[in-house]
Amino acid sequence: MAEEPPGNPDIPAAPVALASRTPHVPAERLVAEMVPPPRFSTVSFDNYIPDPGQPSQATAVKELAAFATSVGGGPGAAEPRRRSWFRREPRPTAPRGPRGMYLDGGYGVGKTHLLASLWHATPGAPEKKAFGTFVELTNLVGALGFQQTVQTLSGHRLLCIDEFELDDPGDTVLVSSLLGKLVDAGVALAATSNTLPGKLGEGRFAAADFLREIQGLSAHFRALRIDGEDYRHRGLPKAPAPYSDEAVTRVAHRTPDASLDDFPALLEHLSRVHPSRYGAMCDGIHAVCLTGVGPVPDQSTALRLVVLADRLYDREVPVLASGVPFDRLFSEEMLQGGYRKKYFRAISRLTALARDAGRLTEQPGD
């Protein structure tokens, strides 16, 4: 394919490198960005299509819609009372009944869709509702500190936590303590979770594990069982064949707002950037191009890559790569270990983004 002459205004700017970006993210942005990701920005209970063969899905929609209405009476909903000099005003109390909903089901039944629909349906301004993954919540505590996080979120009506992680005891205790403070402040909670490693029926119903791990908070949660097809019967999607280094580089140079990175160099860079900043690192990027993709060398690097994959997936950024297919990123030992569900999720998401990237190559010569 002939090269365009230099200076042609129709040629996109040279691709940036993610490895050249070390963004500073103010704590206020971390809080403001706790909203459903772009692919769930327009979901609702109305466009969740329950499986007619799984009546629990329709029941979940009904129950969550009712819960959203009840949450409208949470913190900040009522008009402030006028102070009386002649009697002591009673202290406001949180509404009676469970202040938390736990969506209990396997992969592919639409738990995140329903959780985001709950966020959208709950009355109140966006700044009075928060939505994030368990990792994003722990990152927020790391950025603000525990007490400041409690103060910041205590004025919210609703906190939605997607993929509550039961495989990290330390973080589970931290977040459970945080949620206890928020429940005392009258904040409503909703969560989905993964399952504990090595559990029989892993990936299916984790309510018992979840309620046990959060211990003192269990009385505040009502479990909603959402039946559906077990992810193990579907298997992982086959990753597309990688492209050549030359093809990836060519696409990066002609695609507007693309990034181009050597995969090992990007992995090294991720070790120097806090995971809470990975989203900001992807600001303005509409395609990610990677050369030299290979197996991830160790667990710490693998877990950082999982977070980056989540941020790219949230933003629906296609990923074009050379090297090995994404289903060969993690060793067999990693895929059999305690974090295997994270790695399976990353493979699935990167594979989907690699398929999306196929359209970038639809020109002669690629």
Side-chain angles (χ1 to χ4, degrees):
M1 185 167 60
E3 295 290 335
E4 296 283 355
N8 188 320
D10 294 328
I11 300 178
V16 301
L18 293 178
S20 69
R21 293 182 160 192
T22 309
H24 169 71
V25 183
E28 313 85 72
R29 173 173 170 175
L30 293 177
V31 178
E33 289 185 342
M34 292 190 72
V35 298
R39 66 173 58 237
F40 294 104
S41 62
T42 60
V43 299
S44 68
F45 294 131
D46 289 337
N47 58 33
Y48 176 84
I49 310 299
D51 182 345
Q54 302 290 351
S56 63
Q57 295 185 11
T59 299
V61 171
K62 181 179 178 180
E63 296 286 343
L64 288 170
F67 183 69
T69 300
S70 73
V71 171
E79 291 294 325
R81 300 186 188 188
R82 189 171 295 178
R83 182 176 178 181
S84 169
W85 295 100
F86 302 102
R87 67 180 183 274
R88 179 177 296 175
E89 293 290 336
R91 183 178 179 180
T93 58
R96 293 182 179 180
R99 293 294 290 164
M101 299 292 276
Y102 172 68
L103 282 59
D104 182 21
Y107 288 152
V109 297
K111 298 193 303 297
T112 301
H113 184 132
L114 289 172
L115 192 66
S117 297
L118 172 64
W119 187 94
H120 289 299
T122 298
E127 58 268 22
K128 291 296 183 181
K129 302 179 288 185
F131 183 107
T133 64
F134 182 89
V135 171
E136 288 171 318
L137 190 59
T138 58
N139 286 341
L140 183 68
V141 176
L144 299 183
F146 184 84
Q147 293 300 333
Q148 185 60 44
T149 303
V150 171
Q151 293 177 24
T152 299
L153 296 179
S154 287
H156 284 57
R157 293 186 181 182
L158 175 69
L159 171 62
C160 295
I161 308 170
D162 200 19
E163 298 170 356
F164 197 108
E165 298 189 357
L166 301 175
D167 49 16
D168 190 320
D171 282 347
T172 299
V173 171
L174 172 70
V175 174
S176 294
S177 300
L178 171 64
L179 298 186
K181 299 288 187 182
L182 298 181
V183 166
D184 289 344
V187 181
L189 308 172
T192 71
S193 81
N194 61 20
T195 53
L196 287 168
K199 282 296 191 180
L200 183 65
E202 184 178 352
R204 196 152 174 77
F205 302 114
D209 292 332
F210 176 78
L211 296 175
R212 183 181 64 253
E213 292 300 312
I214 62 173
Q215 297 179 14
L217 284 174
S218 61
H220 296 287
F221 278 88
R222 178 184 172 193
L224 271 182
R225 178 165 170 159
I226 307 170
D227 294 287
E229 182 185 1
D230 191 324
Y231 80 99
R232 291 168 299 177
H233 298 313
R234 298 198 303 266
L236 281 171
K238 184 172 177 58
Y243 294 84
S244 67
D245 287 351
E246 294 77 11
V248 171
T249 301
R250 186 165 55 245
V251 169
H253 278 271
R254 71 164 183 241
T255 303
D257 301 316
S259 66
L260 176 62
D261 286 89
D262 171 65
F263 187 67
L266 177 59
L267 294 183
E268 176 64 25
H269 182 66
L270 293 180
S271 69
R272 298 189 292 269
V273 179
H274 192 275
S276 66
R277 303 179 182 180
Y278 289 2
M281 196 166 66
C282 300
D283 283 352
I285 300 297
H286 293 161
V288 165
C289 297
L290 302 172
T291 59
V293 171
V296 178
D298 57 73
Q299 194 102 265
S300 296
T301 303
L303 291 173
R304 288 191 289 266
L305 181 60
V306 167
V307 177
L308 179 63
D310 285 342
R311 300 292 78 78
L312 293 174
Y313 185 79
D314 288 346
R315 290 161 172 76
E316 300 180 307
V317 178
V319 179
L320 191 74
S322 67
V324 304
F326 286 132
D327 55 11
R328 290 170 51 194
L329 280 173
F330 306 110
S331 69
E332 191 62 30
E333 182 181 2
M334 290 180 184
L335 294 178
Q336 294 300 320
Y339 296 113
R340 60 184 176 273
K341 294 192 70 177
K342 296 178 190 287
Y343 301 146
F344 283 132
R345 184 179 78 233
I347 292 170
S348 177
R349 291 184 166 186
L350 288 171
T351 295
L353 297 178
R355 287 178 172 167
D356 292 343
R359 59 181 169 77
L360 302 175
T361 67
E362 293 172 357
Q363 286 193 22
D366 294 329

